[in-house]
Amino acid sequence: MSDSDLKWERVRIGLLWIALPLVIGLLIAAISIPKPMIGVIHLDDAIYSFTAQDMIKQINYAIERPEIRAVVLAFDSPGGTVVDTEAVYMELTRLREKKPVVTAVNGMAASGAYYLSVNTDYIYAKPTSLVGNIGVIGYLPPSPFIFEDIISTGPYKLWGAPRDSDMRQIDMIKQAFFEAVKLGRGDKLKAGPEVIFSGQIWSGIEAVRIGIADELGSENDAYKKAADLARVANYEVIDLFDAAGIAEPSYPFFIQSPEGITLPYPNKPGTYLLYIPQLPV
């Protein structure tokens, strides 16, 4: 072997010793770096204290884990209490500051569930999903009267507020809901406020037509959109309910009849972002 060949052989061996650790390091990194994940949060119930806390735990789990690159909210919910819906809405805002969030409306995203949907980056609905019901429903307190065996220190101690005060509060909540819809949907809305804020609930096809949803699609379409917004491929879908170690709630939100039938009315009086369908005659 000539001096020139010997020199090149030494160069090749040197390059091999340099390249080999790099290749091994890349292989180890490929194995050890977690695969990107799309987290999914399912809500198949009303929004109240238990389900809201469960959603917030899942949201925080997604925020804290860098391998979860985006989140899909999969809804089949009529909405729920005002305060619990607002609590989840605020946590969604924190999540969206870090990661994309996409809504998939399965059966229904009505009232409070739609309130949450407008705080996401994209909304999918199935053709016959029920979407909208934008507005507030509330129970007014009774007119004050006197109980002979109960002493109270003011005319509204037993009732909390006069009826006109409750009506003003309901109107304030309604306006906040309207502002959230305008903020979240913006120029995507294709109908005027007299239609959008009429309280109507629409099919998925109509929801897309008037701009309160973006596109007809399935939960799988929502995963793909979330991955696209997060700029990841070859991802896994992870159920955040199981990942966060949450137990099933046991408190019934809706009234149960003596026959064990669940009625579409909440157990407690209050102010709700809730869709209440008509009972069959």
Side-chain angles (χ1 to χ4, degrees), residues 47 77-80 108-115 130-133 201 273-275:
I47 304 165
S77 173
M108 175 186 292
S111 201
Y114 184 70
Y115 190 102
L130 297 177
V131 187
N133 193 229
I201 192 163
L273 301 174
L274 182 68
Y275 171 63

Side-chain angles (χ1 to χ4, degrees), residues 76-118:
D76 187 7
S77 173
T81 70
V82 174
V83 66
D84 294 307
T85 301
E86 288 175 339
V88 177
Y89 183 97
M90 288 188 286
E91 295 304 314
L92 274 177
T93 301
R94 287 182 57 233
L95 175 60
R96 285 185 70 199
E97 290 172 355
K98 300 177 180 294
K99 303 173 186 187
V101 184
V102 175
T103 293
V105 183
N106 289 326
M108 175 186 292
S111 201
Y114 184 70
Y115 190 102
L116 299 182
S117 299
V118 299

